[in-house]
C-alpha cells in the first residue's frame, strides 16, 4: 500500500517514513508543499495521504485535503501540533479519516493509519447503502445528455469507449466524437452502470465492452493504450473470461 507524506519538516517526514516502512507500507514519496503534493497525486497511485496542516506556501494541508476529497477520493489523515480550536475546527470541515498529533510515537502512527483506513472503508459502505436506498427516477437509463450550446445532446452509453479526467473536467470519448464536460470522475462513475463501466486508473473509466486487449500495464481499446494499476488489473481479470 502506497502512502504519500506531505510534511515540510524534513526530519519529521523522514522519521514518519521510517516508521511507516517498518509497518510494511510503502512510504517512499514525500512532498513539502501543496503544488508538489498535487503533482505526485496526479502522477502516481496512493492509497493514503498523511497531511501536515501547516505547509510551506500559501496553500495549506487543509486545501490539499479538499483537493483529495473532491478529485481523488482516497483516505487521508491530518498531522498537526496545533492545539488551536479554530484551526482544528477548520481541519474537521475537510472530513479527515483520522488525526495524528505531533510529537508522535510508533504506536500512535500505527493506530492513526489503521483508523483512517477503517473509517474510510466504513464511510464508503455507508455511502453505498445510502445510494441503494434512493429511488431511481431516471426514465432513460441507457444514455447521457450532454449540454452543447443551447441544447442537450443524447449519447448512448454503449457508444462511450472511455472517459478521461483532466482536473475538474472529463473527456468522454465515443466512437465518433469527444465531449468535454465539467464533472469529476468519481461523480460520473456513480451515474454509470457498474456492470459495464470500470475505473482502471485514477484518471480513466473504460467501457468493458470496448476492451480489445489487456496487458500488465495497459488496457487496449482499439489502438488506444489506457493505463491500469495492478490491483485494478486483477479485479478486471476476475470479471472477464480468460484462457491460457
Amino acid at each position: 500500500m502506497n502512502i504519500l507524506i506531505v510534511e515540510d519538516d524534513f526530519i519529521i517526514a523522514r522519521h514518519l517514513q521510517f516508521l511507516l516502512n517498518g509497518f510494511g507500507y510503502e512510504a517512499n514519496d514525500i512532498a513539502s508543499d501543496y503544488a508538489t503534493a498535487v503533482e505526485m497525486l496526479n502522477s502516481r497511485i496512493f492509497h493514503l495521504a498523511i497531511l501536515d496542516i501547516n505547509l510551506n506556501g500559501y496553500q495549506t494541508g487543509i486545501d490539499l485535503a479538499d483537493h483529495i476529497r473532491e478529485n481523488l477520493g482516497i483516505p487521508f489523515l491530518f498531522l498537526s501540533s496545533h492545539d488551536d480550536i479554530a484551526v482544528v475546527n477548520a481541519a474537521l470541515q475537510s472530513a479527515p479519516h483520522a488525526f495524528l498529533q505531533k510529537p508522535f510515537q510508533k504506536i500512535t502512527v500505527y493506530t492513526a493509519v489503521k483508523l483512517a483506513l477503517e473509517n474510510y472503508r466504513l464511510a464508503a459502505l455507508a455511502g453505498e447503502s445510502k445510494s441503494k436506498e434512493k429511488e431511481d427516477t431516471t426514465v432513460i437509463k441507457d444514455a447521457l445528455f450532454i449540454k452543447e450550446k443551447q441544447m442537450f445532446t443524447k449519447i448512448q452509453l454503449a457508444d462511450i469507449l472511455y472517459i478521461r479526467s483532466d482536473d475538474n473536467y472529463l473527456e468522454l470519448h465515443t466512437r465518433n466524437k469527444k465531449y468535454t464536460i465539467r464533472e469529476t470522475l468519481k461523480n460520473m462513475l456513480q451515474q454509470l452502470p457498474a456492470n459495464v463501466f470500470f475505473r482502471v486508473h485514477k484518471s480513466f473509466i473504460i467501457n468493458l465492452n470496448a476492451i480489445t486487449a489487456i496487458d500488465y500495464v495497459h488496457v487496449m481499446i482499439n489502438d488506444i493504450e489506457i493505463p491500469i494499476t495492478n490491483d485494478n488489473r486483477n479485479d478486471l481479470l476476475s470479471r472477464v473470461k480468460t484462457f491460457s
Side-chain angles (χ1 to χ4, degrees), residues 5-10 12-13 30-32 50 52 55 79 102:
I5 299 171
V6 186
E7 166 61 64
D8 56 12
D9 186 310
F10 180 75
I12 292 176
I30 297 174
S32 62
I50 298 178
D52 184 18
L55 293 175
L79 176 63
K102 301 178 188 176

Side-chain angles (χ1 to χ4, degrees), residues 184-238:
T184 65
L185 206 66
K186 181 180 178 181
N187 288 342
M188 175 58 74
L189 189 60
Q190 293 173 349
Q191 308 300 317
L192 298 171
N195 62 325
V196 178
F197 290 89
F198 182 78
R199 188 170 185 173
V200 294
H201 183 272
K202 63 184 177 62
S203 300
F204 287 92
I205 295 172
I206 64 168
N207 184 334
L208 295 174
N209 294 319
I211 296 174
T212 53
I214 304 170
D215 64 21
Y216 283 99
V217 292
H218 295 104
V219 172
M220 300 295 299
I221 294 181
N222 299 324
D223 59 346
I224 301 167
E225 291 185 343
I226 297 174
I228 185 170
T229 65
N230 187 55
D231 289 343
N232 287 337
R233 178 180 180 275
N234 293 335
D235 191 3
L236 176 60
L237 290 176
S238 71

